[in-house]
Amino acid sequence: MKPSSARALELHDVSHLYGEVRAVDRVSLHVDEGEVVCLLGPSGCGKSTILRLAAGLEQLQQGRVLMQDRAVADGAAHRSVPPERRGVGLVFQDFALFPHLSVARNVGFGLTEAAADTREKRIAEVLGQVDMTGFAGAFPHALSGGQQQRIALARALAPQPAILLLDEPFSGLDARLREQIRDDTLHVLKQSRTATLMVTHDPEEAMFMADRIYLMQAGRVVQSGSPDMLYHRPVTPFVARFFSNTNEFGGTVRAGGVATPLGFLPAPGLAEGTRVQILIRPESLQVVAPGESGQAPQSALVEEVRFLGGSKLLVVRVPAGDGGSISLRVRHAGRHLPEPGSRILLQLEEADALIFPE
Ligand code: ADP
């Protein structure tokens, strides 16, 4: 039995080139036992390549890959354990079930070394885990997309892999089903305490699933940490923008802060005269009633109102320092809906302003 803090997977300083294209650039990351970790980033930033290198589906060129503290690939030594001997479970976007095999035989596919009765028992157990008991004799074509996804997960979990690698596992499902299936999947992963590395380009999905996120940009990890940390303490404008729309304006630090169309914002730690970029999320702006706010709120002219279900998006205009004005987006959760052409009062929670030196 491994200690609970053991590393299920570790990548050390891994780089990968496809010809001239540097797909992965000195990436280090780890997944601890029982952890669900997401590799997040825009299309083409190198996520799938990292997953393939971890699985051994791609030859490692530089760096090291360790599983349960044992080196399985070393770029410098040209040494590599083949994929089938790494103890990884894989689930891809298209599920890749064997169409000519029953559900039970799909799920039992990686259990060839087990005795027949152990194998049957384990198949029944994982089918139960993914809530598909009773489907053992069915064939993949007779299953819905969501059911196929569950079977793909069961097949990957059956041999009790040291690490589960998921590549965009929900993107083949329609939006409503996707939420349900990812909720169910997270339950299964947490209950079985399976260490998981999941690739996704969807920030909401990553925040929902992950204990920790590695956010990538152009082959590199730009920030890693808890979803809360990345959302509230982004280290660059790219990170902030990746998680939501932002209102953006520039400014210069004077007297310990920046004058903005939304009032004076403190900028601790930034030297006088520093040019800064200020990013403010639409939900960081509150619509307040006259007299409701302790501070002086900013008057804004409502230009557009758009419904987003539970909340509304307001496009408003506020005066800017140069005598002109700027447009801002405000997410409004209130029941009362302002009319286009009317005036509202806006309040910014200072701590929510994201300020970056240029
Ligand atoms: P992601 O999973 O984040 O979309 P990938 O790891 O698939 O990114 O790709 C990273 C970069 O490597 C992209 O520029 C992509 O075009 C390139 N790439 C991926 N696979 C190959 C390949 N087999 N041959 C050549 N270039 C590739």
Side-chain angles (χ1 to χ4, degrees), residues 78 105 169 213 223 281 334:
H78 303 287
R105 292 189 63 199
I213 295 173
Q223 190 172 356
R281 296 205 158 100

Side-chain angles (χ1 to χ4, degrees), residues 15-81:
S15 294
H16 195 82
L17 291 161
Y18 293 109
E20 299 280 286
V21 177
R22 186 168 283 272
V24 178
D25 194 6
R26 284 171 289 159
V27 166
S28 293
L29 60 82
H30 68 268
V31 182
D32 286 340
E33 304 224 314
E35 241 192 340
V36 175
V37 171
C38 281
L39 263 181
L40 174 67
S43 176
C45 72
K47 308 180 294 294
S48 294
T49 302
I50 290 178
L51 216 66
R52 294 171 59 78
L53 288 166
L57 298 172
E58 198 77 57
Q59 187 69 39
L60 187 69
Q61 298 167 349
Q62 194 189 314
R64 292 203 309 149
V65 178
L66 294 95
M67 280 178 183
Q68 294 183 321
D69 303 324
R70 190 172 65 97
V72 293
D74 188 325
H78 303 287
R79 218 158 27 84
S80 182
V81 174

Side-chain angles (χ1 to χ4, degrees), residues 28 43 48 51 57 77 91 121 126 147 150 183 196 201 207 215 239 264 280 287 294 300 331:
S28 293
S43 176
S48 294
L51 216 66
L57 298 172
V91 179
K121 209 168 139 224
V126 278
Q147 290 171 332
R150 286 165 201 257
D183 197 10
T196 303
H201 64 274
M207 288 191 282
L215 180 64
V239 179
F264 184 81
I280 292 172
V287 179
R331 198 178 263 265

